[in-house]
Amino acid sequence: MALTQPVRHARAGLTWLVVILVALSGLLTAGVLTNQTTWAPKLALDLEGGTQMILAPRVQGNSQVSQDQLDQAVEIIRQRVDGTGVSEAEITTQSGRNVVVSMPGTPDTKTRELIQASANMEFRPVITGAAWTATPEASRTADKDIPAPTAEPKNASDTNWVSKDLFKKFEAYDCPTELAKPERPQNDPTKPAITCDPNTQYKYIVGPVEVPGTDISNASFGMASNSQGMSTGQWAVNLEFNGEGATKFRQVTERLVAATGFQNQFAILLDGTVLSAPTANAVIADGRAQITGSFTEESARALSEQLKYGALPISFEIQSEQQISATLGQDQLKMGLIAGLIGLLLVAIYSLFQYRALGFVTIASLIIAGILTYLAIAILGWLQNYRLSLAGVAGIIVAIGLTADSFIVYFERVRDELRNGRPLTAAVETGWDRARRTILASKAVNLLAAVVLYIVAVGNVRGFAFTLGLTAIADLIVVFLFTHPMLQLLARTNFFGNGHRLSGMDPRLLGAEPFYKGAGKFREPVTVPAGKGSSEDDGAASVAKESSRKARGAATNGERLTIAERRRLQENQSASATADHESGKGADNA
Amino acid sequence: MPSLAQWGNDLHSGKRSYPFVEKRKLWFIITLVLVALSIVVPVIKGGFNLGIDFRGGSEFTISQVQHTDVAPGEEVVRAVAPNVEPHVTNIAPGTMRVQTDRLSDDQTLSVAKSLSDAYGVPASNVTSTFVGPTWGQDVSQQALLGLVAFVVLVTILMALYFRTWKMSVAAVVGLLVVVIITAGIYSLSDFEVTPSAIIGFLTILSYALYDTVVVFDKIRENTEDYENQTEHTFADRVNLAINQTLVRSINTSMVAVLPVASILFIGAYLLGAGTLRDLSLALFVGIIVATLATIFVQAPLYATLRSGEQAVKDQAARVKAARESWPAEA
């Protein structure tokens, strides 16, 4: 015998569910077997223990921080944190406005200061230079031979800036040692400073700041071209200054072009370290400089981005900082899981109480939704580095109730159809048609809320919104591919189809009797108490009208008919009219 | 339980009916009183009990303590920062909490270390939180932005789905009622307002509308062809829809509230303050209020909004005429 439409539909749904489950668990298994991930979802810091800082950028003036600048800031903070030897630090931006730094353990004061410090870009002229390791004691200049300043310095390149003490310090300065320190020296912009250039492995004494990084209006990179506009085949970094910067830079280049040796160079410093120390080949009058040299595409891009970042020095303010003890995190996770299990158990008991055997369908659906959610979180943790936070756990627990909701909407619908006198197989189909729309509309509201929450989220709201949205999707998958197909199949079993008392879909319990009682017998038309009523004229058989009037006449309690009653009455009557006719008893106007 | 099933049957058939729409004036007055109280009570109490995230400051949580004396905690803070007034509380079995004004980085580290000594736990059992003064402002600003964006989007979504803006308006008005009353009850409970509580409030928005969509869907179904009969007025049909979905409303809010109640219990009694507790209280109150609001405010309000329409009035008049034409009955 060919399968009926609903059975085929049900089998297709269940097949799809199996396909999804197998695909997801296959993916996760593959990840675990290849040692790329673990079975357990990744945990956020509030469950795992560690330090989380949420930093807000502080910008000079009214300028806004763009996502690009924030990304640059993240890159710089990452370099600084890595430099301190903290491993596994995660630095991300959030909502395009904050930077979140998460790391295991407790960072010391210095690391914290380092993270908050602003990137400080400045242009200083080079006064003198040397190889970047400390000059061996033996070959250092004797005290009496160190040239002492003879006058007040006339400009920033003037050697009169170099005092005897500064020169001694310079000779002893060892760049590899200094750069390894987590703290970068905060140099006074009005005084000369010692600085290192990791690219060329030189150390310099540089003069006071002549152009601050904030005077850069833009930076880009590309192929350099010569005066005829032909490409020279060399990568170059283009630099643009604002009006004030252009004036200052022209004065600098005018002086530097005439100078020789180290004094021909100007150093671009970021956080006290030299990014680049180009020589000045020409006077730059229009504020558009081009830096050429042995750039690769990559190093040109890196420098141009750093320069661009220098146009907006961002320092950070710690908005919130948490050092979460691993003990507390473990406790909270354990308690969260216990709360979830208790919640699940209560929902299971309530469902069994309300829906009897059908409650098992709810429980099975919840378990499958749970498996889907678990797989999704574990896979997202692996591929997207999603970490489950306590708020996320709360979202999942709350979702137990919201998931069970859609089953209740569906079951109640099916019950309504049973009350209207439909047999279970038909009630499941018509009930589903109505319930599906309601479920889709209400889940759309849920998802919308989750998406809005996720987008505007600050702090741990995000984890909650994420799991809420994830579980809403899991719920939709389960209700479409499991709950409904299961009901379609169960409706064909004896236990459910014949309305066993414990099935939860017992029509007698629901106040409806099947019309056909078996052995060619039909039940009597139901006489529903009715009051003042209708003059409905919707084409019902005249028999139905006749008995409907009788029914009304018989009513004594004055209650009015409801739509459902009226509908049932009509259905019953037309059914019995047909039955009467067929059983040969005859009818008024058959 | 046959009697509950019987009750459901009677509600469905209309044999038993509760006058949700008929007595709407009463429900609206009660609602207005509750809304007014929810606004007035927090004001009289001097505002909400704002958590550290909104005040700014430092907080330490010490887990698995050997004793729950308050004095050692206070001594530790005074020793490190003499000008700071510490608030030490035992928030859950074996858990102490120390709150202070903002401490410097060094002070924070030093207090955390001394606290672990004072309460006889390893340093890894001390959680310290520092919150800058503008953080709370940031969170609430974003939450408000989320609220507005969500309400606007959902109003459009509902207007499109139900093809009538009046349902959207009724739903959103009810939503505001839910948020205000929940906030009022939250304030009364004296729980701290934390970012977690704010998440709870935002989630209530979703739940409240979810619930409303389900009931409104039934209303729409029942009122689809109301003009083609003279047995029931529009309001009658709305009322029937509320009654017919009553069992569902009770069941869905029960299953939604049960897991939340379990988080609330665990969060409040076993963990003390924190994400779980604040979130679940807001949700617990919100889910119950949202279910009641759908039945007593949103659905009757929709009937009221439609009652002014000429077509609804005409139909109501036809129903009245039809009823009068029936002979009087005993």
Side-chain angles (χ1 to χ4, degrees), chain B residues 1-273:
Chain B
M1 202 166 78
S3 61
L4 189 65
Q6 186 56 47
W7 188 61
N9 299 342
D10 293 349
L11 285 173
H12 181 80
S13 63
K15 195 165 149 194
R16 189 188 290 266
S17 175
Y18 297 97
F20 297 112
V21 175
E22 202 179 29
K23 293 239 167 105
R24 62 194 173 218
K25 275 189 186 140
L26 177 64
W27 314 135
F28 290 167
I29 289 168
I30 294 174
T31 309
L32 284 177
V33 169
L34 287 176
V35 167
L37 280 176
S38 301
I39 295 169
V40 169
V41 166
V43 171
I44 292 172
K45 281 188 61 195
F48 288 92
N49 178 10
L50 292 181
I52 191 168
D53 295 275
F54 292 91
R55 289 182 278 118
S58 300
E59 181 180 294
F60 302 85
T61 311
I62 309 118
S63 324
Q64 299 173 355
V65 294
Q66 287 171 356
H67 58 88
T68 54
D69 302 343
V70 169
E74 290 177 342
E75 277 164 29
V76 163
V77 176
R78 291 218 178 87
V80 175
N83 302 324
V84 169
E85 184 58 36
H87 300 278
V88 184
T89 33
N90 174 220
I91 51 168
T95 308
M96 298 295 290
R97 185 179 71 183
V98 178
Q99 289 188 320
T100 66
D101 289 344
R102 186 176 173 172
L103 297 175
S104 74
D105 275 349
D106 289 334
Q107 285 173 329
T108 305
L109 292 176
S110 145
V111 166
K113 199 187 166 316
S114 311
L115 281 174
S116 72
D117 294 340
Y119 286 99
V121 294
S124 63
N125 280 19
V126 179
T127 288
S128 72
T129 306
F130 153 75
V131 183
T134 59
W135 175 234
Q137 219 179 323
D138 243 35
V139 173
S140 15
Q141 210 177 359
Q142 288 291 97
L144 203 63
L145 184 68
L147 176 83
V148 172
F150 176 70
V151 167
V152 169
L153 287 172
V154 94
T155 309
I156 297 170
L157 183 81
M158 288 182 81
L160 288 177
Y161 178 71
F162 291 115
R163 292 184 193 87
T164 158
W165 59 270
K166 287 185 176 171
M167 277 196 173
S168 286
V169 169
V172 170
V173 169
L175 185 68
L176 295 178
V177 167
V178 172
V179 170
I180 294 170
I181 293 180
T182 308
I185 297 175
Y186 196 92
S187 146
L188 208 61
S189 79
D190 227 26
F191 272 35
E192 279 188 346
V193 178
T194 61
S196 307
I198 304 265
I199 309 174
F201 278 96
L202 291 174
T203 314
I204 295 167
L205 302 181
S206 156
Y207 184 83
L209 284 172
Y210 169 94
D211 188 58
T212 308
V213 165
V214 175
V215 175
F216 276 17
D217 215 38
K218 184 71 183 169
I219 292 178
R220 180 170 72 158
E221 185 192 334
N222 281 10
T223 55
E224 241 161 13
D225 61 343
Y226 81 96
E227 276 186 282
N228 300 330
Q229 49 84 40
T230 51
E231 209 176 331
H232 306 102
T233 61
F234 185 84
D236 291 340
R237 291 235 161 153
V238 171
N239 199 52
L240 179 66
I242 308 173
N243 278 290
Q244 287 182 332
T245 46
L246 202 55
V247 171
R248 183 220 62 94
S249 294
I250 293 168
N251 283 349
T252 51
S253 53
M254 273 302 283
V255 296
V257 141
L258 286 174
V260 171
S262 114
I263 315 180
L264 182 62
F265 179 78
I266 296 255
Y269 290 97
L270 299 176
L271 284 176

